[in-house]
Short mmCIF file of all heavy atoms in Angstrom, two decimals:
data_model
loop_
_atom_site.label_atom_id
_atom_site.label_comp_id
_atom_site.label_asym_id
_atom_site.label_seq_id
_atom_site.Cartn_x
_atom_site.Cartn_y
_atom_site.Cartn_z
N LEU A 213 0.76 -1.20 -0.02
CA LEU A 213 0.08 -0.03 -0.05
C LEU A 213 0.88 1.31 0.01
O LEU A 213 0.40 2.31 -0.39
CB LEU A 213 -0.92 0.06 1.27
CG LEU A 213 -2.09 -0.93 1.17
CD1 LEU A 213 -2.86 -0.98 2.43
CD2 LEU A 213 -2.99 -0.61 0.07
N SER A 214 2.13 1.14 0.46
CA SER A 214 2.95 2.30 0.42
C SER A 214 3.34 2.67 -1.04
O SER A 214 3.90 3.82 -1.21
CB SER A 214 4.22 2.04 1.30
OG SER A 214 4.98 1.05 0.78
N SER A 215 3.22 1.93 -1.88
CA SER A 215 3.49 2.13 -3.32
C SER A 215 2.39 1.74 -4.26
O SER A 215 2.38 0.70 -4.83
CB SER A 215 4.78 1.32 -3.70
OG SER A 215 5.08 1.60 -5.09
N PRO A 216 1.41 2.54 -4.35
CA PRO A 216 0.23 2.31 -5.17
C PRO A 216 0.62 2.12 -6.59
O PRO A 216 -0.16 1.51 -7.38
CB PRO A 216 -0.82 3.38 -4.97
CG PRO A 216 -0.02 4.51 -4.27
CD PRO A 216 1.21 3.91 -3.65
N LEU A 217 1.73 2.67 -7.10
CA LEU A 217 2.25 2.59 -8.50
C LEU A 217 2.54 1.17 -8.74
O LEU A 217 2.68 0.74 -9.92
CB LEU A 217 3.21 3.52 -8.82
CG LEU A 217 2.84 5.07 -8.79
CD1 LEU A 217 4.08 5.93 -9.08
CD2 LEU A 217 1.61 5.26 -9.75
N GLY A 218 2.82 0.29 -7.71
CA GLY A 218 3.17 -1.01 -7.85
C GLY A 218 2.01 -1.83 -8.44
O GLY A 218 2.16 -2.66 -9.32
N VAL A 219 0.83 -1.44 -7.93
CA VAL A 219 -0.39 -2.19 -8.53
C VAL A 219 -0.58 -1.73 -9.92
O VAL A 219 -0.93 -2.59 -10.80
CB VAL A 219 -1.47 -1.78 -7.56
CG1 VAL A 219 -2.82 -2.45 -8.10
CG2 VAL A 219 -1.30 -2.34 -6.14
N THR A 220 -0.37 -0.55 -10.22
CA THR A 220 -0.43 -0.05 -11.53
C THR A 220 0.42 -0.78 -12.46
O THR A 220 0.09 -1.21 -13.60
CB THR A 220 -0.19 1.46 -11.63
OG1 THR A 220 -1.04 2.11 -10.75
CG2 THR A 220 -0.41 2.03 -13.05
N ALA A 221 1.71 -1.03 -12.03
CA ALA A 221 2.64 -1.76 -12.85
C ALA A 221 2.14 -3.25 -13.23
O ALA A 221 2.30 -3.74 -14.17
CB ALA A 221 3.98 -1.71 -12.24
N LEU A 222 1.57 -3.79 -12.07
CA LEU A 222 1.09 -5.10 -12.21
C LEU A 222 -0.08 -5.26 -13.20
O LEU A 222 -0.30 -6.20 -13.91
CB LEU A 222 0.67 -5.79 -10.81
CG LEU A 222 1.62 -6.11 -9.90
CD1 LEU A 222 1.16 -6.50 -8.50
CD2 LEU A 222 2.50 -7.33 -10.46
N MET A 223 -0.98 -4.17 -13.18
CA MET A 223 -2.10 -4.11 -14.07
C MET A 223 -1.63 -4.00 -15.48
O MET A 223 -2.14 -4.65 -16.39
CB MET A 223 -3.00 -2.89 -13.67
CG MET A 223 -3.62 -3.06 -12.30
SD MET A 223 -4.66 -4.58 -12.14
CE MET A 223 -5.65 -4.42 -13.52
N ASP A 224 -0.48 -3.18 -15.65
CA ASP A 224 0.12 -3.22 -17.02
C ASP A 224 0.63 -4.45 -17.56
O ASP A 224 0.45 -4.80 -18.74
CB ASP A 224 1.13 -2.18 -16.99
CG ASP A 224 0.65 -0.73 -16.87
OD1 ASP A 224 -0.47 -0.45 -17.10
OD2 ASP A 224 1.51 0.20 -16.52
N LEU A 225 1.11 -5.32 -16.55
CA LEU A 225 1.55 -6.66 -16.95
C LEU A 225 0.32 -7.55 -17.44
O LEU A 225 0.66 -8.55 -18.17
CB LEU A 225 2.23 -7.31 -15.86
CG LEU A 225 3.69 -6.78 -15.53
CD1 LEU A 225 4.29 -7.40 -14.30
CD2 LEU A 225 4.63 -7.05 -16.70
N LEU A 226 -0.84 -7.32 -16.93
CA LEU A 226 -1.92 -8.10 -17.47
C LEU A 226 -2.22 -7.89 -18.95
O LEU A 226 -2.84 -8.71 -19.60
CB LEU A 226 -3.13 -7.78 -16.73
CG LEU A 226 -3.10 -8.20 -15.19
CD1 LEU A 226 -4.48 -7.94 -14.58
CD2 LEU A 226 -2.95 -9.73 -15.05
N SER A 227 -1.71 -6.82 -19.59
CA SER A 227 -1.90 -6.54 -20.89
C SER A 227 -0.80 -6.96 -21.87
O SER A 227 -0.76 -6.81 -23.06
CB SER A 227 -2.14 -4.98 -21.16
OG SER A 227 -3.17 -4.61 -20.43
N GLN A 228 0.25 -7.59 -21.18
CA GLN A 228 1.43 -7.98 -21.94
C GLN A 228 1.11 -9.20 -22.87
O GLN A 228 0.30 -10.06 -22.50
CB GLN A 228 2.56 -8.42 -20.93
CG GLN A 228 3.12 -7.39 -20.15
CD GLN A 228 3.89 -6.45 -21.07
OE1 GLN A 228 4.68 -6.80 -21.98
NE2 GLN A 228 3.91 -5.15 -20.86
N PRO A 229 1.80 -9.20 -24.02
CA PRO A 229 1.56 -10.39 -24.92
C PRO A 229 2.25 -11.64 -24.42
O PRO A 229 1.92 -12.69 -24.93
CB PRO A 229 2.12 -9.93 -26.22
CG PRO A 229 3.12 -8.80 -25.90
CD PRO A 229 2.52 -8.11 -24.62
N LEU A 230 3.21 -11.37 -23.53
CA LEU A 230 3.95 -12.58 -23.05
C LEU A 230 3.14 -13.23 -21.91
O LEU A 230 2.87 -12.72 -20.90
CB LEU A 230 5.36 -12.23 -22.44
CG LEU A 230 6.35 -11.66 -23.43
CD1 LEU A 230 7.63 -11.17 -22.70
CD2 LEU A 230 6.78 -12.78 -24.40
N GLU A 231 2.68 -14.52 -22.20
CA GLU A 231 1.83 -15.22 -21.35
C GLU A 231 2.39 -15.46 -20.05
O GLU A 231 1.61 -15.44 -18.92
CB GLU A 231 1.24 -16.34 -21.96
CG GLU A 231 0.28 -16.16 -23.08
CD GLU A 231 -0.23 -17.41 -23.70
OE1 GLU A 231 -0.07 -18.50 -23.15
OE2 GLU A 231 -0.94 -17.27 -24.71
N VAL A 232 3.72 -15.68 -19.95
CA VAL A 232 4.39 -16.05 -18.64
C VAL A 232 4.27 -14.84 -17.74
O VAL A 232 3.89 -15.02 -16.56
CB VAL A 232 5.83 -16.47 -18.94
CG1 VAL A 232 6.48 -16.65 -17.57
CG2 VAL A 232 5.91 -17.70 -19.74
N LEU A 233 4.58 -13.70 -18.27
CA LEU A 233 4.53 -12.43 -17.33
C LEU A 233 3.08 -12.10 -16.91
O LEU A 233 2.81 -11.87 -15.77
CB LEU A 233 5.10 -11.18 -18.07
CG LEU A 233 6.54 -11.21 -18.26
CD1 LEU A 233 6.91 -10.06 -19.11
CD2 LEU A 233 7.31 -11.31 -16.92
N ARG A 234 2.21 -12.34 -17.88
CA ARG A 234 0.81 -12.08 -17.58
C ARG A 234 0.26 -13.04 -16.54
O ARG A 234 -0.48 -12.56 -15.57
CB ARG A 234 -0.09 -12.17 -18.91
CG ARG A 234 -1.54 -11.96 -18.71
CD ARG A 234 -2.36 -12.48 -19.89
NE ARG A 234 -2.30 -13.89 -19.79
CZ ARG A 234 -2.78 -14.61 -20.76
NH1 ARG A 234 -3.26 -14.07 -21.83
NH2 ARG A 234 -2.81 -16.03 -20.64
N ASN A 235 0.60 -14.34 -16.64
CA ASN A 235 0.08 -15.27 -15.65
C ASN A 235 0.61 -15.10 -14.29
O ASN A 235 -0.10 -15.34 -13.29
CB ASN A 235 0.40 -16.70 -16.26
CG ASN A 235 -0.36 -16.97 -17.47
OD1 ASN A 235 -1.15 -16.17 -18.01
ND2 ASN A 235 0.11 -17.93 -18.21
N GLU A 236 1.93 -14.70 -14.27
CA GLU A 236 2.52 -14.47 -12.95
C GLU A 236 2.06 -13.28 -12.30
O GLU A 236 1.78 -13.19 -10.98
CB GLU A 236 4.13 -14.42 -13.12
CG GLU A 236 4.72 -15.73 -13.44
CD GLU A 236 4.60 -16.86 -12.45
OE1 GLU A 236 4.61 -16.48 -11.28
OE2 GLU A 236 4.40 -17.98 -12.89
N ALA A 237 1.79 -12.16 -13.06
CA ALA A 237 1.12 -11.00 -12.49
C ALA A 237 -0.28 -11.30 -12.00
O ALA A 237 -0.74 -10.77 -11.01
CB ALA A 237 1.11 -9.84 -13.58
N LEU A 238 -1.02 -12.18 -12.72
CA LEU A 238 -2.33 -12.54 -12.36
C LEU A 238 -2.33 -13.26 -10.94
O LEU A 238 -3.12 -12.90 -10.21
CB LEU A 238 -2.88 -13.37 -13.39
CG LEU A 238 -4.41 -13.89 -13.16
CD1 LEU A 238 -5.38 -12.70 -12.99
CD2 LEU A 238 -4.87 -14.81 -14.29
N LEU A 239 -1.38 -14.17 -10.83
CA LEU A 239 -1.33 -14.95 -9.55
C LEU A 239 -0.94 -13.99 -8.40
O LEU A 239 -1.40 -14.21 -7.26
CB LEU A 239 -0.24 -16.06 -9.68
CG LEU A 239 -0.74 -17.19 -10.60
CD1 LEU A 239 0.41 -18.23 -10.77
CD2 LEU A 239 -1.91 -17.94 -9.98
N LEU A 240 0.02 -13.06 -8.75
CA LEU A 240 0.35 -12.20 -7.58
C LEU A 240 -0.77 -11.24 -7.27
O LEU A 240 -1.03 -11.06 -6.04
CB LEU A 240 1.52 -11.32 -8.14
CG LEU A 240 2.18 -10.28 -7.16
CD1 LEU A 240 2.64 -11.04 -5.85
CD2 LEU A 240 3.35 -9.62 -7.72
N LEU A 241 -1.57 -10.79 -8.21
CA LEU A 241 -2.70 -9.99 -7.85
C LEU A 241 -3.80 -10.76 -7.12
O LEU A 241 -4.37 -10.24 -6.22
CB LEU A 241 -3.29 -9.38 -9.16
CG LEU A 241 -2.62 -8.17 -9.71
CD1 LEU A 241 -3.05 -7.78 -11.08
CD2 LEU A 241 -2.78 -6.89 -8.66
N VAL A 242 -3.95 -11.96 -7.48
CA VAL A 242 -4.87 -12.86 -6.72
C VAL A 242 -4.60 -12.93 -5.19
O VAL A 242 -5.31 -12.82 -4.45
CB VAL A 242 -5.00 -14.26 -7.31
CG1 VAL A 242 -5.76 -15.23 -6.41
CG2 VAL A 242 -5.70 -14.18 -8.72
N GLY A 243 -3.21 -13.18 -4.91
CA GLY A 243 -2.73 -13.27 -3.59
C GLY A 243 -2.85 -11.93 -2.88
O GLY A 243 -3.30 -11.89 -1.74
N LEU A 244 -2.49 -10.79 -3.49
CA LEU A 244 -2.58 -9.60 -2.94
C LEU A 244 -3.98 -9.06 -2.75
O LEU A 244 -4.32 -8.45 -1.55
CB LEU A 244 -1.85 -8.40 -3.84
CG LEU A 244 -0.30 -8.51 -3.89
CD1 LEU A 244 0.11 -7.56 -4.91
CD2 LEU A 244 0.24 -8.38 -2.63
N CYS A 245 -4.88 -9.29 -3.59
CA CYS A 245 -6.20 -8.78 -3.44
C CYS A 245 -7.05 -9.56 -2.46
O CYS A 245 -8.02 -9.18 -1.77
CB CYS A 245 -6.98 -8.77 -4.80
SG CYS A 245 -6.40 -7.47 -5.87
N SER A 246 -6.70 -10.93 -2.30
CA SER A 246 -7.50 -11.68 -1.31
C SER A 246 -7.16 -11.29 0.11
O SER A 246 -8.06 -11.49 0.92
CB SER A 246 -7.08 -13.18 -1.40
OG SER A 246 -5.84 -13.46 -1.02
N GLY A 247 -6.00 -10.66 0.43
CA GLY A 247 -5.87 -10.23 1.79
C GLY A 247 -6.04 -8.71 2.00
O GLY A 247 -5.93 -8.36 3.25
N CYS A 248 -6.22 -7.89 1.04
CA CYS A 248 -6.20 -6.59 1.17
C CYS A 248 -7.22 -5.88 0.38
O CYS A 248 -7.03 -5.80 -0.82
CB CYS A 248 -4.76 -5.98 0.95
SG CYS A 248 -4.69 -4.24 1.43
N PRO A 249 -8.40 -5.52 0.95
CA PRO A 249 -9.43 -4.82 0.15
C PRO A 249 -8.95 -3.47 -0.51
O PRO A 249 -9.39 -3.14 -1.57
CB PRO A 249 -10.58 -4.52 0.95
CG PRO A 249 -10.26 -5.04 2.34
CD PRO A 249 -8.80 -5.74 2.21
N GLN A 250 -8.02 -2.79 -0.01
CA GLN A 250 -7.51 -1.53 -0.47
C GLN A 250 -6.80 -1.84 -1.86
O GLN A 250 -6.96 -1.05 -2.83
CB GLN A 250 -6.56 -0.82 0.49
CG GLN A 250 -7.22 -0.35 1.72
CD GLN A 250 -7.21 -1.35 2.86
OE1 GLN A 250 -6.87 -2.44 2.63
NE2 GLN A 250 -7.71 -0.85 3.94
N ILE A 251 -6.07 -2.84 -1.97
CA ILE A 251 -5.36 -3.18 -3.16
C ILE A 251 -6.30 -3.68 -4.20
O ILE A 251 -6.21 -3.24 -5.39
CB ILE A 251 -4.29 -4.22 -2.96
CG1 ILE A 251 -3.17 -3.73 -2.08
CG2 ILE A 251 -3.69 -4.75 -4.20
CD1 ILE A 251 -2.07 -4.72 -1.70
N ALA A 252 -7.44 -4.32 -3.84
CA ALA A 252 -8.52 -4.73 -4.75
C ALA A 252 -9.14 -3.45 -5.21
O ALA A 252 -9.49 -3.42 -6.61
CB ALA A 252 -9.45 -5.59 -4.16
N ASN A 253 -9.29 -2.46 -4.50
CA ASN A 253 -9.87 -1.17 -5.00
C ASN A 253 -9.04 -0.49 -5.89
O ASN A 253 -9.55 0.07 -6.92
CB ASN A 253 -10.14 -0.24 -3.80
CG ASN A 253 -11.36 -0.73 -2.91
OD1 ASN A 253 -12.22 -1.42 -3.39
ND2 ASN A 253 -11.50 -0.31 -1.69
N ILE A 254 -7.74 -0.38 -5.72
CA ILE A 254 -6.79 0.21 -6.65
C ILE A 254 -6.88 -0.56 -7.95
O ILE A 254 -6.83 0.00 -9.08
CB ILE A 254 -5.33 0.28 -5.99
CG1 ILE A 254 -5.37 1.13 -4.83
CG2 ILE A 254 -4.28 0.64 -7.06
CD1 ILE A 254 -4.07 0.95 -3.98
N ALA A 255 -6.81 -1.89 -7.94
CA ALA A 255 -6.84 -2.75 -9.13
C ALA A 255 -8.15 -2.46 -9.97
O ALA A 255 -8.05 -2.35 -11.21
CB ALA A 255 -6.64 -4.19 -8.87
N ALA A 256 -9.23 -2.42 -9.18
CA ALA A 256 -10.51 -2.02 -9.88
C ALA A 256 -10.44 -0.80 -10.57
O ALA A 256 -10.91 -0.70 -11.85
CB ALA A 256 -11.66 -2.21 -8.85
N PHE A 257 -9.91 0.21 -9.94
CA PHE A 257 -9.86 1.50 -10.51
C PHE A 257 -8.87 1.61 -11.73
O PHE A 257 -8.84 2.55 -12.49
CB PHE A 257 -9.58 2.69 -9.58
CG PHE A 257 -10.88 2.98 -8.77
CD1 PHE A 257 -10.92 2.71 -7.47
CD2 PHE A 257 -11.86 3.60 -9.38
CE1 PHE A 257 -12.06 2.95 -6.69
CE2 PHE A 257 -13.02 4.00 -8.66
CZ PHE A 257 -13.08 3.57 -7.31
N GLU A 258 -7.93 0.69 -11.75
CA GLU A 258 -6.98 0.67 -12.76
C GLU A 258 -7.52 -0.21 -14.02
O GLU A 258 -6.74 -0.38 -14.92
CB GLU A 258 -5.68 -0.02 -12.35
CG GLU A 258 -4.93 0.81 -11.41
CD GLU A 258 -4.25 2.12 -12.07
OE1 GLU A 258 -4.00 2.08 -13.22
OE2 GLU A 258 -4.24 3.12 -11.39
N GLY A 259 -8.83 -0.56 -14.02
CA GLY A 259 -9.31 -1.28 -15.19
C GLY A 259 -9.15 -2.81 -15.14
O GLY A 259 -9.07 -3.45 -16.04
N ALA A 260 -9.11 -3.34 -13.84
CA ALA A 260 -8.81 -4.80 -13.79
C ALA A 260 -9.98 -5.58 -14.35
O ALA A 260 -9.72 -6.66 -14.94
CB ALA A 260 -8.75 -5.13 -12.31
N PHE A 261 -11.31 -5.24 -14.22
CA PHE A 261 -12.43 -5.89 -14.67
C PHE A 261 -12.27 -6.16 -16.14
O PHE A 261 -12.44 -7.24 -16.76
CB PHE A 261 -13.77 -5.35 -14.29
CG PHE A 261 -14.01 -5.43 -12.80
CD1 PHE A 261 -13.98 -4.26 -12.03
CD2 PHE A 261 -14.25 -6.66 -12.15
CE1 PHE A 261 -14.25 -4.31 -10.61
CE2 PHE A 261 -14.51 -6.82 -10.88
CZ PHE A 261 -14.46 -5.54 -10.10
N GLU A 262 -12.06 -5.08 -16.94
CA GLU A 262 -11.90 -5.15 -18.36
C GLU A 262 -10.82 -6.07 -18.78
O GLU A 262 -10.95 -6.92 -19.71
CB GLU A 262 -11.71 -3.70 -18.92
CG GLU A 262 -12.90 -2.90 -18.77
CD GLU A 262 -12.91 -2.06 -17.48
OE1 GLU A 262 -11.86 -2.20 -16.68
OE2 GLU A 262 -13.98 -1.54 -17.12
N LYS A 263 -9.60 -5.89 -18.17
CA LYS A 263 -8.43 -6.63 -18.55
C LYS A 263 -8.69 -8.16 -18.22
O LYS A 263 -8.24 -9.03 -19.05
CB LYS A 263 -7.26 -6.24 -17.82
CG LYS A 263 -6.78 -4.79 -18.26
CD LYS A 263 -5.68 -4.23 -17.64
CE LYS A 263 -5.29 -2.85 -18.07
NZ LYS A 263 -4.07 -2.24 -17.47
N LEU A 264 -9.29 -8.47 -17.09
CA LEU A 264 -9.55 -9.88 -16.77
C LEU A 264 -10.58 -10.52 -17.74
O LEU A 264 -10.44 -11.67 -18.08
CB LEU A 264 -9.99 -9.96 -15.30
CG LEU A 264 -8.92 -9.56 -14.24
CD1 LEU A 264 -9.61 -9.37 -12.97
CD2 LEU A 264 -7.86 -10.58 -14.28
N LEU A 265 -11.53 -9.71 -18.05
CA LEU A 265 -12.56 -10.25 -19.06
C LEU A 265 -11.91 -10.54 -20.34
O LEU A 265 -12.24 -11.44 -21.17
CB LEU A 265 -13.84 -9.33 -19.25
CG LEU A 265 -14.67 -9.37 -17.91
CD1 LEU A 265 -15.79 -8.36 -18.07
CD2 LEU A 265 -15.22 -10.75 -17.58
N VAL A 266 -10.98 -9.66 -20.86
CA VAL A 266 -10.23 -9.92 -22.07
C VAL A 266 -9.35 -11.21 -21.98
O VAL A 266 -9.31 -11.97 -22.92
CB VAL A 266 -9.33 -8.76 -22.38
CG1 VAL A 266 -8.38 -9.06 -23.40
CG2 VAL A 266 -10.15 -7.51 -22.78
N ILE A 267 -8.78 -11.44 -20.76
CA ILE A 267 -8.02 -12.55 -20.61
C ILE A 267 -8.81 -13.82 -20.64
O ILE A 267 -8.58 -14.85 -21.28
CB ILE A 267 -7.22 -12.50 -19.32
CG1 ILE A 267 -6.14 -11.46 -19.33
CG2 ILE A 267 -6.72 -13.90 -18.95
CD1 ILE A 267 -5.49 -11.20 -17.94
N CYS A 268 -10.02 -13.79 -20.01
CA CYS A 268 -10.99 -14.87 -20.02
C CYS A 268 -11.39 -15.17 -21.51
O CYS A 268 -11.47 -16.37 -21.91
CB CYS A 268 -12.23 -14.60 -19.18
SG CYS A 268 -11.87 -14.66 -17.46
N GLY A 269 -11.65 -14.13 -22.29
CA GLY A 269 -12.09 -14.34 -23.63
C GLY A 269 -10.93 -14.98 -24.47
O GLY A 269 -11.13 -15.72 -25.34
N ALA A 270 -9.73 -14.52 -24.19
CA ALA A 270 -8.71 -14.94 -25.07
C ALA A 270 -8.28 -16.44 -24.69
O ALA A 270 -7.78 -17.19 -25.47
CB ALA A 270 -7.29 -14.13 -24.76
N GLU A 271 -8.60 -16.89 -23.51
CA GLU A 271 -8.27 -18.23 -23.09
C GLU A 271 -9.42 -19.32 -23.23
O GLU A 271 -9.36 -20.39 -22.79
CB GLU A 271 -7.87 -18.20 -21.59
CG GLU A 271 -6.59 -17.48 -21.27
CD GLU A 271 -5.42 -18.20 -21.75
OE1 GLU A 271 -5.35 -19.35 -21.93
OE2 GLU A 271 -4.39 -17.40 -22.23
N GLY A 272 -10.49 -18.79 -23.83
CA GLY A 272 -11.53 -19.75 -24.22
C GLY A 272 -12.86 -19.51 -23.41
O GLY A 272 -13.66 -20.34 -23.54
N GLY A 273 -12.87 -18.53 -22.62
CA GLY A 273 -14.12 -18.20 -21.84
C GLY A 273 -14.27 -19.15 -20.69
O GLY A 273 -13.38 -19.94 -20.35
N PRO A 274 -15.44 -18.88 -19.98
CA PRO A 274 -15.65 -19.64 -18.73
C PRO A 274 -15.93 -21.12 -19.01
O PRO A 274 -15.69 -21.93 -18.16
CB PRO A 274 -16.88 -19.07 -18.25
CG PRO A 274 -17.55 -18.20 -19.38
CD PRO A 274 -16.44 -17.87 -20.25
N GLY A 275 -16.25 -21.60 -20.23
CA GLY A 275 -16.41 -22.91 -20.51
C GLY A 275 -15.11 -23.58 -20.83
O GLY A 275 -15.11 -24.80 -20.85
N GLY A 276 -14.12 -22.79 -21.02
CA GLY A 276 -12.78 -23.39 -21.37
C GLY A 276 -12.12 -24.16 -20.22
O GLY A 276 -11.52 -25.19 -20.38
N GLY A 277 -12.39 -23.76 -19.00
CA GLY A 277 -11.94 -24.52 -17.92
C GLY A 277 -10.36 -24.42 -17.66
O GLY A 277 -9.82 -25.12 -16.95
N ASP A 278 -9.76 -23.37 -18.31
CA ASP A 278 -8.39 -23.27 -18.16
C ASP A 278 -7.98 -22.68 -16.78
O ASP A 278 -8.76 -22.04 -16.21
CB ASP A 278 -7.81 -22.26 -19.30
CG ASP A 278 -6.24 -22.40 -19.38
OD1 ASP A 278 -5.61 -23.05 -18.69
OD2 ASP A 278 -5.78 -21.68 -20.32
N VAL A 279 -6.83 -23.00 -16.35
CA VAL A 279 -6.32 -22.57 -15.05
C VAL A 279 -6.31 -21.00 -14.98
O VAL A 279 -6.66 -20.48 -14.07
CB VAL A 279 -4.97 -23.14 -14.74
CG1 VAL A 279 -4.50 -22.51 -13.41
CG2 VAL A 279 -5.11 -24.62 -14.57
N ILE A 280 -5.96 -20.38 -16.04
CA ILE A 280 -5.85 -18.97 -16.20
C ILE A 280 -7.31 -18.37 -16.10
O ILE A 280 -7.45 -17.24 -15.45
CB ILE A 280 -5.15 -18.54 -17.53
CG1 ILE A 280 -3.85 -19.09 -17.65
CG2 ILE A 280 -5.18 -16.97 -17.59
CD1 ILE A 280 -2.87 -18.87 -16.49
N VAL A 281 -8.18 -18.94 -16.69
CA VAL A 281 -9.55 -18.45 -16.45
C VAL A 281 -10.08 -18.54 -15.03
O VAL A 281 -10.73 -17.75 -14.56
CB VAL A 281 -10.58 -19.18 -17.54
CG1 VAL A 281 -12.05 -18.72 -17.29
CG2 VAL A 281 -10.05 -18.99 -18.95
N GLN A 282 -9.70 -19.58 -14.38
CA GLN A 282 -10.07 -19.78 -13.07
C GLN A 282 -9.36 -18.85 -12.11
O GLN A 282 -10.05 -18.25 -11.33
CB GLN A 282 -9.73 -21.23 -12.52
CG GLN A 282 -10.53 -22.38 -13.19
CD GLN A 282 -10.07 -23.68 -12.76
OE1 GLN A 282 -9.10 -23.84 -12.12
NE2 GLN A 282 -10.78 -24.76 -13.39
N ASP A 283 -8.13 -18.48 -12.36
CA ASP A 283 -7.43 -17.40 -11.62
C ASP A 283 -8.04 -16.04 -11.85
O ASP A 283 -8.17 -15.24 -10.88
CB ASP A 283 -5.90 -17.41 -12.06
CG ASP A 283 -5.17 -18.68 -11.58
OD1 ASP A 283 -5.70 -19.33 -10.63
OD2 ASP A 283 -4.11 -18.99 -12.10
N ALA A 284 -8.39 -15.82 -13.11
CA ALA A 284 -9.01 -14.48 -13.38
C ALA A 284 -10.34 -14.39 -12.72
O ALA A 284 -10.71 -13.35 -12.11
CB ALA A 284 -9.14 -14.33 -14.93
N ALA A 285 -11.15 -15.43 -12.81
CA ALA A 285 -12.47 -15.43 -12.00
C ALA A 285 -12.30 -15.37 -10.52
O ALA A 285 -12.98 -14.64 -9.89
CB ALA A 285 -13.19 -16.80 -12.42
N GLU A 286 -11.18 -15.90 -10.02
CA GLU A 286 -10.93 -15.71 -8.57
C GLU A 286 -10.60 -14.38 -8.12
O GLU A 286 -11.12 -13.84 -7.12
CB GLU A 286 -9.88 -16.70 -8.15
CG GLU A 286 -9.52 -16.69 -6.66
CD GLU A 286 -8.40 -17.70 -6.25
OE1 GLU A 286 -8.03 -18.45 -7.10
OE2 GLU A 286 -7.97 -17.52 -5.07
N LEU A 287 -9.78 -13.68 -9.05
CA LEU A 287 -9.53 -12.29 -8.79
C LEU A 287 -10.69 -11.44 -8.88
O LEU A 287 -10.81 -10.53 -8.09
CB LEU A 287 -8.35 -11.81 -9.80
CG LEU A 287 -7.86 -10.45 -9.65
CD1 LEU A 287 -7.39 -10.18 -8.18
CD2 LEU A 287 -6.71 -10.10 -10.56
N ILE A 288 -11.56 -11.69 -9.81
CA ILE A 288 -12.82 -10.89 -10.00
C ILE A 288 -13.60 -11.04 -8.79
O ILE A 288 -14.18 -10.19 -8.19
CB ILE A 288 -13.53 -11.34 -11.20
CG1 ILE A 288 -12.82 -10.75 -12.51
CG2 ILE A 288 -14.98 -10.71 -11.17
CD1 ILE A 288 -13.42 -11.31 -13.82
N ASN A 289 -13.75 -12.38 -8.27
CA ASN A 289 -14.51 -12.57 -7.05
C ASN A 289 -13.86 -11.89 -5.89
O ASN A 289 -14.67 -11.31 -5.04
CB ASN A 289 -14.49 -14.11 -6.86
CG ASN A 289 -15.28 -14.51 -5.60
OD1 ASN A 289 -16.37 -13.86 -5.37
ND2 ASN A 289 -14.83 -15.54 -4.92
N ASN A 290 -12.64 -11.87 -5.73
CA ASN A 290 -11.95 -11.17 -4.59
C ASN A 290 -12.29 -9.73 -4.61
O ASN A 290 -12.48 -9.02 -3.57
CB ASN A 290 -10.43 -11.42 -4.69
CG ASN A 290 -10.07 -12.75 -4.18
OD1 ASN A 290 -10.86 -13.60 -3.65
ND2 ASN A 290 -8.81 -13.16 -4.61
N MET A 291 -12.25 -9.11 -5.86
CA MET A 291 -12.55 -7.71 -5.85
C MET A 291 -13.99 -7.32 -5.60
O MET A 291 -14.25 -6.29 -4.99
CB MET A 291 -12.14 -7.24 -7.29
CG MET A 291 -10.60 -7.09 -7.47
SD MET A 291 -10.12 -6.20 -8.95
CE MET A 291 -10.82 -7.22 -10.28
N LEU A 292 -14.85 -8.23 -6.02
CA LEU A 292 -16.32 -7.94 -5.76
C LEU A 292 -16.72 -8.17 -4.35
O LEU A 292 -17.63 -7.54 -3.77
CB LEU A 292 -17.12 -8.85 -6.69
CG LEU A 292 -17.12 -8.44 -8.21
CD1 LEU A 292 -17.93 -9.49 -8.91
CD2 LEU A 292 -17.82 -7.13 -8.47
N ARG A 293 -16.10 -9.26 -3.69
CA ARG A 293 -16.36 -9.58 -2.40
C ARG A 293 -15.99 -8.52 -1.39
O ARG A 293 -16.70 -8.06 -0.50
CB ARG A 293 -15.67 -10.86 -2.00
CG ARG A 293 -16.06 -11.34 -0.66
CD ARG A 293 -15.33 -12.62 -0.16
NE ARG A 293 -13.86 -12.48 -0.47
CZ ARG A 293 -13.06 -13.36 -0.94
NH1 ARG A 293 -13.56 -14.48 -1.38
NH2 ARG A 293 -11.79 -13.18 -1.23
N ASP A 294 -14.80 -7.93 -1.57
CA ASP A 294 -14.29 -6.95 -0.71
C ASP A 294 -14.72 -5.51 -1.08
O ASP A 294 -14.51 -4.46 -0.51
CB ASP A 294 -12.83 -6.96 -0.45
CG ASP A 294 -12.38 -8.19 0.01
OD1 ASP A 294 -13.09 -8.76 0.91
OD2 ASP A 294 -11.18 -8.72 -0.33
#
C-alpha cells in the first residue's frame, strides 16, 4: 500500500503479450487482493475488470476451464467480495 504505483505496474503486466509475465502478474494480484481490500480497490480503478474479461475471452471463456480463466475469475471474485 505504500507504493500504489506497484499495483499499476502489475495491471500493465496483465496486458502483456508474453503469457508467462501475464500469468505471474495474475497470480500475484490474486494473492494480494485476497488479503487486502484496498489493493483490490486500486486494481478495480486501474481497469482490472476489463483486462480480466479480455484474458478470459482469449483463453476460451468460462467454458474453457483453463487454469488462467479460473485465476481471473478468482481475482474478480476477490474484488467484488471486498
Side-chain angles (χ1 to χ4, degrees):
L213 286 175
S214 64
S215 178
L217 293 178
V219 176
T220 303
L222 284 173
M223 295 305 301
D224 290 340
L225 286 176
L226 289 181
S227 300
Q228 289 291 323
L230 294 173
E231 291 182 5
V232 174
L233 291 176
R234 182 196 69 191
N235 297 348
E236 292 300 320
L238 180 60
L239 288 174
L240 184 57
L241 281 168
V242 167
L244 289 173
C245 289
S246 66
C248 186
Q250 292 90 357
I251 293 178
N253 285 337
I254 294 170
F257 282 110
E258 290 292 328
F261 290 110
E262 293 85 8
K263 291 178 182 181
L264 293 169
L265 291 175
V266 167
I267 290 172
C268 287
E271 294 292 328
D278 193 358
V279 175
I280 302 303
V281 175
Q282 292 174 357
D283 291 338
E286 183 179 350
L287 181 54
I288 290 172
N289 183 34
N290 289 343
M291 288 191 300
L292 290 174
R293 181 181 55 223
D294 295 329

